[in-house]
Amino acid sequence: MRSSFRFAGLLVPAVLLTSVAATRAPLVDWTAKLAGKDGRKVTGSATVKPTADGKGVDVQVTLDGDTPGATRPWHIHTGSCAKSGGVFGGGRAYTPIVIDAKGHGSAKATVPATPADTTTYYVNIHDSAAAMSIIVACGDLAK
């Protein structure tokens, strides 16, 4: 009789764990096409992929047609290019993009957060650390 109670006590947690795992949304890749703002000819792309451990995301951003020698801070934000929001995952995760002599630049970041399935996100490329309010390029992220 005792062993059947032990078995029942193990079965309930196992069923609950299975149910929770089944309802968790799978992590997916996000992408964005970046376009220049205010007449700038900058173009680019961004990709966001889950980290191997599923506890964050790896982000890759590339830019073309930008000013040689510029250093561009960038971030993922909640919201959209049309309706801005806060920085996703903390600003320290994002290393600036350094633009080479041909107007090309790229950067990578590992952000210790996962995007919520019900939230929208976008990538902002800022003019410089001294002019964060000026947006050089922007792109809405999509799954």
Side-chain angles (χ1 to χ4, degrees), residues 36-53:
K37 301 290 272 176
D38 299 327
R40 296 177 194 241
K41 303 292 184 199
V42 178
T43 60
S45 64
T47 58
V48 179
K49 298 180 180 219
T51 56
D53 64 7

Side-chain angles (χ1 to χ4, degrees), residues 19-114:
S19 298
V20 170
T23 59
R24 183 181 299 179
L27 298 175
V28 297
D29 295 357
W30 299 62
T31 60
K33 289 185 180 182
L34 305 177
K37 301 290 272 176
D38 299 327
R40 296 177 194 241
K41 303 292 184 199
V42 178
T43 60
S45 64
T47 58
V48 179
K49 298 180 180 219
T51 56
D53 64 7
K55 295 180 180 180
V57 291
D58 288 324
V59 186
Q60 169 78 40
V61 175
T62 60
L63 292 177
D64 286 302
D66 202 355
T67 306
T71 299
R72 305 287 189 211
W74 65 282
H75 308 95
I76 295 175
H77 292 259
T78 57
S80 67
C81 291
K83 187 175 182 184
S84 62
V87 173
F88 168 75
R92 291 188 177 149
Y94 304 93
T95 56
I97 302 166
V98 177
I99 308 302
D100 68 16
K102 295 181 180 181
H104 175 79
S106 64
K108 293 180 182 179
T110 297
V111 181
T114 55

Side-chain angles (χ1 to χ4, degrees), residues 6-7 10-11 18 26 40 51 54 68-69 80 83 86 90 97 107-108 111 114 122 124 126 129 131 134-135 139:
R6 281 189 210 148
F7 177 73
L10 294 173
L11 184 59
T18 303
R40 296 177 194 241
T51 56
S80 67
K83 187 175 182 184
I97 302 166
K108 293 180 182 179
V111 181
T114 55
Y122 66 104
N124 248 358
H126 302 276
I134 299 171
I135 306 303

